[in-house]
Amino acid sequence: MMNTKIERVNPEQIDETIMEEAGRLIAEGELVAFPTETVYGLGGDALHPEAARKIYAAKGRPSDNPLIVHIADFSDMERVAREVPEAARKLAGAFWPGPLTMIVWKSDAVPMATTGGMDTVAVRMPNHPVALDLIRKSGCLIAAPSANTSGRPSPTEASHVAEDLSGRIAMILDGGPVGIGIESTIIDLTESKPMVLRPGYITPQMLSEVLGEEVIIDPGI
Ligand code: AMP
Ligand code: MG
């Protein structure tokens, strides 16, 4: 068991000292839970296989369930994607930062430990000042599933994160209760037609309007 630091951060007035410490922990390969506009995420360095393994261990999650890579600038998409599809640029222009996750072919920079062994990677730019600041301060891209142990509901408050993960992670950034509580919409851009793999706040119709083409829904959902 490790000592989990819980730090209160006001999203409207971010404490630089706390955020610098949190960013350093991520850069050193440790795990930090942080607020996003959807749910609290459990973050680790996305390009560091050992950090990804720590995330699976802390959550008790099977390691073939891929993680979402969180970025703070669109240019980071070029680091994690083999090539950036035109559709990704359009969708980012309309919905990022926001609750939309895009699946693209991964670059060699992204370890298989992060993608659960897949050749594709899930990428999102969260719309929360604490999340964006943590990504920038860490100098990393941050792999983050929801900050709950496997089988428990996705947390919308830091106290829920603490119940599940105290003693298993280095730090929890408490930015207060978070908004939507619904997870991001996931859209797959690797096939001939864009396909929604997980429904969420952003609907297929909203996606289709921006793309100017039909968006299909995964028949499995
Ligand atoms: P969570 O971060 O807990 O919301 O879970 C992330 C979810 O994103 C996974 O459970 C998958 O359903 C989905 N996902 C992440 N990466 C991929 C990928 N490369 N291909 C398809 N789905 C993915
Ligand atoms: Mg989850």
Side-chain angles (χ1 to χ4, degrees):
M1 296 283 272
M2 63 171 85
N3 177 36
T4 302
K5 254 190 165 177
I6 303 180
E7 299 281 8
R8 180 93 182 85
V9 184
N10 178 353
E12 264 116 61
Q13 204 182 339
I14 289 177
D15 184 312
E16 297 291 322
T17 312
I18 293 172
M19 295 306 298
E20 271 157 22
E21 186 184 354
R24 196 176 329 115
L25 286 166
I26 296 279
E28 287 168 355
E30 299 298 331
L31 304 186
V32 176
F34 61 96
T36 79
E37 81 280 29
T38 57
V39 300
Y40 272 75
L42 173 58
D45 181 352
L47 305 187
H48 191 321
E50 194 51 44
R53 279 190 277 272
K54 280 188 190 171
I55 292 175
Y56 290 112
K59 274 182 73 85
R61 171 177 181 149
S63 59
D64 59 356
N65 192 343
L67 306 174
I68 295 172
V69 176
H70 292 68
I71 64 174
D73 295 285
F74 188 78
S75 62
D76 289 332
M77 183 72 149
E78 274 147 28
R79 287 174 65 191
V80 296
R82 199 154 75 198
E83 65 191 280
V84 180
E86 195 44 41
R89 293 183 199 281
K90 287 187 189 164
L91 292 175
F95 301 114
W96 276 3
L100 179 68
T101 298
M102 302 185 213
I103 311 284
V104 294
W105 294 105
K106 79 169 195 68
S107 72
D108 292 338
V110 184
M112 289 285 182
T114 296
T115 65
M118 301 180 79
D119 283 331
T120 55
V121 62
V123 191
R124 163 167 127 81
M125 191 190 294
N127 188 16
H128 193 292
V130 175
L132 293 170
D133 197 59
L134 180 64
I135 298 166
R136 294 205 174 104
K137 289 244 180 11
S138 70
C140 300
L141 310 182
I142 298 189
S146 49
N148 50 288
T149 45
S150 223
R152 300 253 301 157
S154 294
T156 53
E157 287 182 35
S159 63
H160 303 163
V161 179
E163 279 166 29
D164 272 23
L165 294 173
S166 271
R168 297 172 180 234
I169 64 177
M171 187 185 273
I172 298 170
L173 293 171
D174 178 359
V178 294
I180 331 184
I182 310 173
E183 276 154 310
S184 58
T185 303
I186 300 181
I187 186 166
D188 185 351
L189 300 177
T190 64
E191 303 289 341
S192 53
K193 279 189 181 171
M195 179 160 77
V196 170
L197 303 183
R198 178 171 80 183
Y201 181 78
I202 294 168
T203 63
Q205 196 193 330
M206 290 158 78
L207 295 164
S208 163
E209 266 165 31
V210 168
L211 291 174
E213 66 176 308
E214 190 195 0
V215 172
I216 56 181
I217 300 172
D218 183 355
I221 57 176

